[in-house]
């Protein structure tokens, strides 16, 4: 079996919370008075909350002190958590659920590999709190993507060596993290524009022929 485990990124792969992150950061950038756009937002994919603020502030002067940064980080998370409240199992797309169910039925292990500290509450709201064989997220890592830590931890939790893991990612930083972990990677959404991954998925169901034909 080539792929014994599939490690899914969460925001922008399993669910469209990447849009919520974008909207919340836009409010913060407006409040600070710093330019923010889709290209900058794409650089925040997979990156921790704190590092995301540093990227947004790259072109800003005067520099913010730690207390001011803390204020904006908390405010961004409050705005984001407010948006998450609307989410329910109906926000889990049929394609994502069907793809994961099919993989699971083949005996393949499924895990989450996300930089987010909100991953567990999101999974709960989608009705997926007990669905994955392992969850590795922002609460169990000290370095976010592109560092491989989050995926290496997921493979450790599953007890499956990296060479048997396939990562599904929408972030450039996430694809780089997968490659640094010596794992194969399937890019999705924005991730397909970098041509860095082993596979590009046009739709999430494209994962099935890739995995099942190689197993
Ligand atoms: C990643 C997102 O999944 O989680 C990033 O792609 C986000 O945009 C990061 O910054 C951290 O998320 P959170 O929920 O801990 O602020
Ligand atoms: Mg993502």
């Amino acid at each position: 079996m080539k792929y014994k485990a599939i490690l899914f990124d969460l925001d922008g792969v399993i669910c469209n919370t990447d849009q919520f992150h974008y909207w919340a950061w836009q409010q913060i950038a407006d409040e600070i008075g710093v330019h923010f756009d889709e290209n900058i937002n794409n650089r925040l994919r997979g990156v921790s909350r704190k590092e995301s603020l540093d990227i947004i502030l790259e072109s800003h002067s005067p520099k913010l002190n730690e207390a001011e940064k803390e204020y904006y980080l908390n405010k961004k998370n409050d705005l984001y958590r407010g948006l998450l409240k609307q989410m329910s199992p109906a926000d889990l797309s049929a394609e994502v659920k069907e793809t994961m169910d099919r993989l699971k039925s083949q005996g393949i292990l499924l895990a989450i590999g996300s930089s987010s500290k909100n991953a567990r509450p999101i999974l709960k709201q989608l009705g997926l709190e007990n669905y994955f064989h392992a969850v590795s997220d922002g609460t169990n890592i000290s370095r976010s993507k592109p560092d491989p830590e989050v995926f290496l931890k997921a493979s450790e939790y599953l007890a499956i060596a990296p060479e048997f893991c396939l990562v599904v990612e929408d972030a450039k930083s996430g694809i780089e993290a997968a490659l640094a972990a010596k794992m194969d990677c399937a890019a999705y959404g924005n991730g397909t524009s970098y041509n860095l991954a082993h596979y590009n998925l046009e739709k999430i169901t494209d994962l099935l022929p890739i995995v099942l034909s190689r197993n």
Side-chain angles (χ1 to χ4, degrees):
M1 211 187 229
K2 184 164 168 65
Y3 298 124
K4 298 182 181 175
I6 313 295
L7 315 186
F8 289 93
D9 171 50
L10 180 64
D11 299 312
V13 171
I14 300 285
C15 51
N16 296 327
T17 40
D18 54 330
Q19 304 301 326
F20 295 165
H21 280 295
Y22 188 5
W23 182 86
W25 280 127
Q26 183 71 68
Q27 310 310 305
I28 298 300
D30 289 349
E31 187 173 326
I32 297 172
V34 64
H35 173 73
F36 187 62
D37 60 25
E38 199 177 340
N39 288 331
I40 302 173
N41 182 63
N42 283 334
R43 291 177 58 205
L44 312 185
R45 291 177 188 271
V47 173
S48 73
R49 200 179 309 160
K50 201 164 180 297
E51 289 165 295
S52 296
L53 181 60
D54 288 337
I55 291 172
I56 290 169
L57 291 172
E58 269 173 6
S59 64
H60 185 71
S61 65
K63 296 291 165 220
L64 269 58
N65 64 37
E66 286 310 307
E68 287 167 327
K69 284 190 188 177
E70 200 55 33
Y71 164 81
Y72 288 117
L73 288 170
N74 286 331
K75 183 151 187 187
K76 187 271 171 176
N77 200 44
D78 288 347
L79 288 167
Y80 178 63
R81 293 289 294 244
L83 294 171
L84 291 181
K85 279 191 193 141
Q86 328 156 2
M87 278 176 74
S88 75
D91 290 299
L92 180 65
S93 83
E95 289 77 18
V96 168
K97 187 64 171 41
E98 180 198 316
T99 302
M100 297 195 303
D101 285 349
R102 286 278 307 278
L103 294 168
K104 237 186 178 184
S105 73
Q106 299 295 312
I108 296 165
L109 299 184
L110 307 185
I112 289 290
S114 165
S115 298
S116 174
K117 292 193 159 106
N118 291 301
R120 297 239 180 216
I122 292 170
L123 291 174
K124 185 149 194 258
Q125 275 183 257
L126 292 172
L128 293 174
E129 67 265 49
N130 297 314
Y131 186 84
F132 292 91
H133 298 98
V135 174
S136 173
D137 64 21
T139 64
N140 62 255
I141 54 170
S142 49
R143 298 173 301 279
S144 76
K145 301 167 187 175
D147 191 281
E149 186 181 11
V150 74
F151 293 130
L152 290 174
K153 281 269 188 255
S155 85
E156 192 184 308
Y157 296 158
L158 294 172
I160 301 286
E163 62 190 290
F164 298 112
C165 295
L166 174 67
V167 170
V168 186
E169 259 296 347
D170 73 314
K172 181 169 186 262
S173 66
I175 299 169
E176 288 168 346
L179 301 182
K182 304 260 185 306
M183 295 175 182
D184 280 8
C185 185
Y188 178 65
N190 183 257
T192 61
S193 55
Y194 304 101
N195 276 323
L196 288 172
H198 297 77
Y199 316 100
N200 278 341
L201 308 177
E202 215 174 279
K203 48 190 190 316
I204 207 76
T205 48
D206 291 346
L207 196 56
L208 292 170
I210 290 170
V211 176
L212 303 181
S213 70
R214 283 167 182 82
N215 281 0

